[in-house]
Amino acid sequence: MAGISVTLEGDNIQLAFQKGEQSTAVVMDPHAARSLVRAVSQLLSAIGEGGEDSGDMPEELVDVTSQTIDVGMDEHGMAVVALQAGMMPPFLLRLKDDEARHIANSLLEILNSPRDVRVSHGDH
């Protein structure tokens, strides 16, 4: 069974994962930790798992601020998107095949719609 622990390392936060014999730890400053919390919260909301605490953090849209958005694959053949948004530090999104297909198809559907239709349905 996988385990996750969060501890303080001075003024930084350590996030450690352990599964079986393997373990990984990440130490981040408070700004990076807040960005991680926001990103995880947004991902949970996207899959309908916002939970009762989701009202504590205001939903905010952030613009992509990176010069490029890199799309590639990780060592396991999973789709990876690298970008920076708003004040968050650059981050990577690893997507399962069905998630990547859903995003690609949804974006194509949006981009193939006339601009006036997109504006009138902008709340979707």
Side-chain angles (χ1 to χ4, degrees):
M1 181 163 162
I4 300 173
S5 67
V6 180
T7 56
L8 284 175
E9 290 256 330
D11 289 338
N12 294 318
I13 296 167
Q14 177 178 309
L15 180 61
F17 306 91
Q18 183 172 359
K19 184 172 184 176
E21 300 285 322
Q22 292 184 312
S23 64
T24 302
V26 177
V27 177
M28 59 192 110
D29 64 23
H31 177 75
R34 276 190 292 280
S35 295
L36 175 63
V37 168
R38 267 194 302 275
V40 170
S41 177
Q42 290 172 350
L43 290 171
L44 286 170
S45 292
I47 62 170
E49 294 291 330
E52 52 196 59
D53 296 327
S54 61
D56 294 345
M57 186 178 305
E59 183 178 322
E60 99 183 53
L61 291 175
V62 292
D63 293 323
V64 172
T65 54
S66 39
Q67 295 294 319
T68 62
I69 298 175
D70 297 317
V71 178
M73 290 188 297
D74 69 3
E75 63 278 0
H76 303 290
M78 293 181 71
V80 176
V81 178
L83 62 112
Q84 183 171 1
M87 298 301 292
M88 292 184 276
F91 59 92
L92 299 173
L93 293 175
R94 182 179 294 129
L95 304 166
K96 297 178 199 160
D97 288 353
D98 59 329
E99 295 166 334
R101 274 189 207 92
H102 174 72
I103 291 169
N105 290 332
S106 297
L107 287 171
L108 281 173
E109 185 177 317
I110 290 167
L111 294 172
N112 287 332
S113 298
R115 169 78 57 192
D116 59 337
V117 172
R118 286 191 265 166
V119 172
S120 67
H121 293 92
D123 60 338
H124 295 276

